[in-house]
């Protein structure tokens, strides 16, 4: 009987309770996921106290599922329509909306549940409020069906990385109208459609950017700047509610864009928010200052190291017009923008080209 009682007592002891608080907190820091940590908080009082002290938190935002409308599937299967809608119509409609939305604000509130701006996201602030000592925050926003990304099989590519303090400091954009593995290109050399596409030499006039091609890349730039400034505006509330945050990263499900803020930039934004006496509650994004854009373009770019081919390859380095930088600063900024091997190779080869374009864009 004595042995049975000892065995039952050992089984009744929760081994996790024997772990010191420091070790449990280290486990929570490795979990990182905000929803999982919030679930741990309700298990017991000890977990509730320790999980709130987690200093490394990640949060993935999931878009609400919507029932497809009649004929909607045809829209998503047509890649050219998705490209046109996402990067031609959407940015234009977004800018028009921002110019006229203030006149009909009450009406827009009525339709807010039905019409969602692709560049705007609402974070579950209540979830983040549970964590009192967040120092490093990583947020992943939902992707979009119309995003140009190698992840969604669109056949094209658009990636960007932006850095902000209290306003835009820099943005690097890498785009291509065609992006695929070189092996598939070689296999299609004998195909008639392949010969008429990328396998044939680029016409002489396409060696330089045409007016139409330049307009498309300006639209890319506006779209990326709108998306990054919307995320920066979202960060203002997060940083004001979490005074311990020291660095932030916001990415998306399409792996298209990333905004990063270091400790210096976070402190600068926090000081700017705290010193602002009047807050524009109707603002949906941070104002983009006047910028200077340095752009490189190659009609067909071979990437032998990573085994890819880019058609209409374009690299843009964007900085505020008031910022004076050396030529090497743009190169180093672009070289360190993307982690993927193929993207780094593309940036390097584009920069090696002597010819580049310089554009200026007013604030918006």
């Amino acid at each position: 009987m004595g042995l049975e009682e000892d065995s039952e007592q050992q089984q009744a002891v929760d081994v996790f309770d024997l772990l010191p608080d420091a070790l449990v907190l280290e486990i929570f820091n490795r979990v990182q996921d905000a929803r999982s940590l919030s679930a741990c908080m309700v298990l017991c009082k000890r977990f509730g106290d320790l999980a709130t002290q987690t200093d490394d938190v990640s949060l993935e935002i999931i878009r609400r599922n919507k029932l497809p409308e009649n004929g909607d599937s045809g829209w998503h299967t047509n890649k050219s329509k998705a490209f046109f809608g996402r990067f031609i119509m959407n940015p234009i409609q977004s800018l028009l909306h921002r110019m006229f939305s203030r006149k009909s604000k009450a009406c827009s509130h009525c339709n807010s549940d039905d019409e969602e701006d692709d560049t705007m996201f609402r974070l579950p602030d209540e979830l983040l409020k549970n964590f009192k000592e967040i120092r490093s925050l990583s947020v992943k926003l939902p992707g979009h069906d119309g995003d140009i990304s190698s992840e969604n099989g669109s056949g094209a590519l658009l990636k960007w990385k932006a850095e902000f303090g209290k306003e835009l400091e820099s943005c690097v954009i890498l785009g291509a109208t065609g992006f695929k593995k070189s092996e598939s290109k070689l296999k299609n050399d004998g195909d008639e459609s392949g010969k008429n596409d990328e396998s044939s030499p680029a016409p002489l006039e396409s060696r330089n950017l045409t007016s139409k091609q330049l307009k498309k890349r300006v639209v890319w730039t506006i779209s990326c700047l709108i998306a990054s400034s919307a995320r920066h505006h979202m960060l203002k509330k997060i940083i004001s509610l979490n005074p311990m945050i020291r660095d932030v990263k916001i990415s998306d499900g399409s792996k298209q864009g990333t905004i990063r803020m270091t400790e210096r930039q976070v402190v600068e934004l926090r000081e700017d928010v705290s010193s602002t006496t009047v807050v524009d509650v109707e603002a949906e994004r941070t104002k983009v200052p006047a910028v200077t854009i340095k752009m490189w373009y190659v009609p067909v770019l071979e990437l032998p190291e990573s085994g890819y081919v880019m058609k209409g390859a374009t690299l843009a380095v964007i900085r505020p017009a008031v910022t004076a930088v050396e030529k090497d600063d743009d190169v180093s900024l672009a070289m360190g923008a993307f982690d993927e091997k193929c993207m780094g190779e593309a940036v390097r080869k584009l920069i090696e080209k002597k010819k580049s374009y310089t554009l200026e864009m007013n604030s918006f």
Side-chain angles (χ1 to χ4, degrees), residues 93-324:
Q93 292 174 352
S94 180
L95 289 175
L96 291 175
H97 170 73
R98 282 162 176 73
M99 287 191 290
F100 298 105
S101 61
R102 296 176 189 271
K103 297 181 180 180
S104 56
K105 198 68 181 178
C107 182
S108 64
H109 282 305
C110 298
N111 298 329
S112 60
D113 293 336
D114 299 326
E115 298 180 2
E116 233 180 282
D117 191 336
D118 286 345
T119 59
M120 301 300 135
F121 299 92
R122 293 183 179 178
L123 283 177
D125 298 323
E126 297 76 11
L127 190 62
L128 291 176
K129 285 179 181 179
N130 295 330
F131 303 95
K132 307 300 182 183
E133 301 186 20
I134 302 178
R135 292 183 176 272
S136 179
L137 176 65
S138 176
V139 180
K140 184 177 180 181
L141 302 175
H144 302 273
D145 294 327
D147 281 346
I148 300 180
S149 171
S150 58
E151 301 293 322
N152 60 15
S154 64
L157 174 75
L158 185 65
K159 296 181 74 70
W160 58 268
K161 178 187 175 183
E163 292 188 359
F164 283 79
K166 63 180 180 181
E167 61 180 16
L168 178 71
E169 292 187 358
S170 67
C171 183
V172 180
I173 301 173
L174 178 63
T177 55
F179 180 74
K180 62 181 181 179
K181 290 186 177 180
S182 57
E183 291 83 0
S184 62
K185 171 182 173 292
L186 294 175
K187 289 180 181 179
N188 293 331
D189 279 345
D191 184 76
E192 182 177 354
S193 62
K195 289 182 179 179
N196 291 332
D197 190 18
E198 291 187 24
S199 60
S200 59
L204 181 62
E205 61 270 20
S206 68
R207 301 294 178 180
N208 298 320
L209 274 172
T210 65
S211 177
K212 183 178 180 180
Q213 291 170 334
L214 181 59
K215 287 179 181 179
K216 177 182 291 186
R217 281 146 183 83
V218 169
V219 171
W220 287 358
T221 301
I222 293 174
S223 177
C224 294
L225 290 176
I226 288 176
S228 62
S229 61
R231 298 181 190 188
H232 180 256
H233 182 73
M234 177 181 67
L235 278 175
K236 292 181 180 179
K237 185 175 182 181
I238 296 176
I239 290 176
S240 64
L241 294 176
N242 298 271
M244 300 294 291
I245 288 181
R246 292 295 178 267
D247 63 88
V248 184
K249 172 186 174 183
I250 299 185
S251 58
D252 56 73
S254 301
K255 298 183 179 180
Q256 186 180 86
T258 302
I259 176 175
R260 291 179 180 272
M261 294 183 66
T262 62
E263 181 174 357
R264 174 192 65 80
Q265 294 164 332
V266 170
V267 170
E268 181 181 308
L269 177 59
R270 183 177 288 117
E271 291 176 351
D272 181 68
V273 172
S274 61
S275 63
T276 302
T277 56
V278 179
V279 179
D280 187 357
V281 295
E282 295 183 350
E284 295 177 328
R285 60 178 179 84
T286 302
K287 184 178 180 179
V288 177
V291 296
T292 300
I293 307 168
K294 188 172 184 179
M295 187 179 295
W296 292 263
Y297 168 77
V298 176
V300 178
L301 184 65
E302 298 277 353
L303 305 176
E305 295 179 13
S306 52
Y308 284 90
V309 177
M310 299 176 72
K311 181 180 178 182
T314 306
L315 173 68
V317 176
I318 305 168
R319 293 182 185 271
V322 296
T323 304

